[in-house]
Amino acid sequence: MAPPVRYIEKTQAYYRSVGYPKPYKYARFDSAPFTPLDKPLERCRVGLVATAGVTLLDDDGRPAPMKVLGGEEANVVEIPSDTPVERLVSIEEHYDRHATTVDDVNAFFPISHLQALAGDGTIGGLAPRFQKIFPNYSHRVTLTRDAPVVLAQLQADQVDAALLVPV
Amino acid sequence: MGLVARHLEANGIPTVTFSCARDITAAVRPPRSVFLDYPLGSTCGRPHDPANQRAVILTALALLETGRTAGEIVDLPYEWSADERWKQLIFSPEQPFLSEEAEARRQAGLAAARQAKREIKATSVD
C-alpha cells in the first residue's frame, strides 16, 4: 500500500508552480487539548460539524446559493439533524473530482448513519442542529469568528461530544 | 477543521475529527482523529457503501469513548483501490485540483474579500 499523500508538500509545490509567491501556512501545534468523555456513548448527545459543501434544498428542490472562500460574513450554517438525506445536496468543489464523487452525501456528512445510531440507542441522541462551516484561509478568522459560534451553539444545545468532518 | 476541534475541546466538549489528509492532521493535531486513506471528499467512507461508512463512524465513536491520549490518530485499515495511481495524480499538471470554473469562482471570492478588506480599512481611516 502506497504511503498517504503528502498534501502539504503537494499543495505548496502546486501553488508555487501556478505563480503564488507565498506558500499557505498550515496550522502546526506540538500538543492538543483534551477533554475525556465522561459518560457512555449511549447517554451522549452527539453533534456533527462539517466543512464539506453540503446544503439544504428548498421546497422547490433548489440548493441554497453557494458561498465562496475568503468571505468576511458569518460563516456557520445550521442543518436540522432530523433532515432526511434526500433534502441535502453536495455543492462541494474542493474534493478529488478525478478519483471520487460527492453524490453520496453520507460519505462526507454522515447524517443517515447518525440518525440510525441514535435510533438504535448506540448513541443517546443527536444535537437538534448540525453545523456546516465555510472554510476560511485565515486561521485567525476560523478561531475568533467561526469556532466560537459553533461552541456557543453546541453549548446551548447541551451537546456532549462532536464529530468533525473536513472536506 | 482541526482548529475548531481544538477550540471545542479546550472548552470542554470532546471531539473526534475525520481525516483523509494524514500530514495536515498530524500538523494541526486535533484532540482525536481517525485517518481514512481515501481521496479528499470521501472523509467518512466510500460513496454508496453504507457498510464501509458505518464502520468508519463506529471507529470514530469508539475512539471518542476509549481515547485517552491527546492528539491520537487512529489509522483505518481500508484501502481505496488496489491501483494507487490516484495518489500520484493529485496536484499533477494533468489533474488540476479545481475545475476551471471552480478556480474562477475561487479567484472571484478572494478578490471580493480583498476588496471588502480595503473598504473596511478606508472607512476606519476616515
Side-chain angles (χ1 to χ4, degrees), chain A residues 1-11 14-15 18 20 26-42 46 48-52 66-72 92-110 113-114 116-117 120 122-123 131 133 137-140 142-143 146-152 154-155 159-167, chain B residues 1-24 26-32 35 37-51 53-54 57-58 60-62 64-65 67-71 76-80 84 86-103 105-110 112-114 116-117 120:
Chain A
M1 200 163 147
V5 176
R6 294 209 287 263
Y7 284 100
I8 294 178
E9 238 168 70
K10 285 207 174 204
T11 49
Y14 176 77
Y15 282 107
V18 294
Y20 288 84
Y26 286 88
R28 230 171 245 288
F29 295 94
D30 295 329
S31 62
F34 195 80
T35 301
L37 191 68
D38 62 3
K39 53 180 154 179
L41 280 170
E42 59 264 27
V46 175
L48 174 64
V49 186
T51 48
M66 183 152 41
K67 285 199 194 180
V68 283
L69 290 177
E72 291 290 318
E92 184 54 56
E93 294 182 329
H94 296 80
Y95 71 99
D96 189 342
R97 66 202 157 93
H98 305 283
T100 189
T101 158
V102 286
D103 61 6
D104 179 5
V105 167
N106 274 307
F108 57 90
F109 193 76
H113 295 287
L114 290 174
L117 291 166
D120 70 18
T122 307
I123 53 181
Q131 284 79 18
I133 319 173
Y137 289 112
S138 161
H139 304 162
R140 182 189 54 80
T142 298
L143 273 176
D146 298 340
V149 172
V150 175
L151 175 66
L154 297 189
Q155 284 174 335
V159 170
D160 299 303
L163 309 187
L164 286 92
V165 186
V167 176
Chain B
M1 187 46 88
L3 292 174
V4 179
R6 295 173 59 91
H7 186 75
L8 297 178
E9 192 96 15
N11 286 281
I13 298 182
T15 62
V16 59
T17 302
F18 295 67
S19 168
C20 282
R22 202 181 196 289
D23 59 338
I24 298 174
V28 181
R29 225 172 273 232
R32 303 169 199 74
F35 169 66
D37 199 4
Y38 281 3
L40 297 184
S42 298
T43 331
C44 299
R46 187 181 296 276
H48 309 292
D49 186 345
Q53 294 164 7
R54 191 180 157 90
I57 291 155
L58 288 175
L61 288 172
L64 204 45
E65 201 163 40
R68 291 287 173 271
T69 314
L76 287 153
Y78 311 113
E79 198 177 11
W80 179 250
E84 299 220 316
W86 68 271
K87 292 185 177 178
Q88 293 155 21
L89 287 171
I90 287 166
F91 281 105
S92 65
E94 65 260 55
Q95 279 198 3
F97 184 58
L98 291 175
S99 65
E100 271 177 41
E101 213 182 312
E103 177 61 23
R105 257 198 298 279
R106 194 180 75 88
Q107 291 293 346
L110 288 175
R114 276 193 294 268
K117 217 178 237 175
I120 290 164

Side-chain angles (χ1 to χ4, degrees), chain A residues 23-88:
Chain A
Y24 179 74
K25 245 182 112 187
Y26 286 88
R28 230 171 245 288
F29 295 94
D30 295 329
S31 62
F34 195 80
T35 301
L37 191 68
D38 62 3
K39 53 180 154 179
L41 280 170
E42 59 264 27
R43 286 201 282 124
C44 286
R45 178 179 285 187
V46 175
L48 174 64
V49 186
T51 48
V54 64
T55 193
L56 274 167
L57 293 173
D58 64 19
D59 291 333
D60 300 321
R62 283 185 306 241
M66 183 152 41
K67 285 199 194 180
V68 283
L69 290 177
E72 291 290 318
E73 68 274 40
N75 253 339
V76 179
V77 175
E78 298 169 21
I79 295 175
S81 62
D82 60 359
T83 304
V85 72
E86 297 76 29
R87 288 290 301 274
L88 293 169

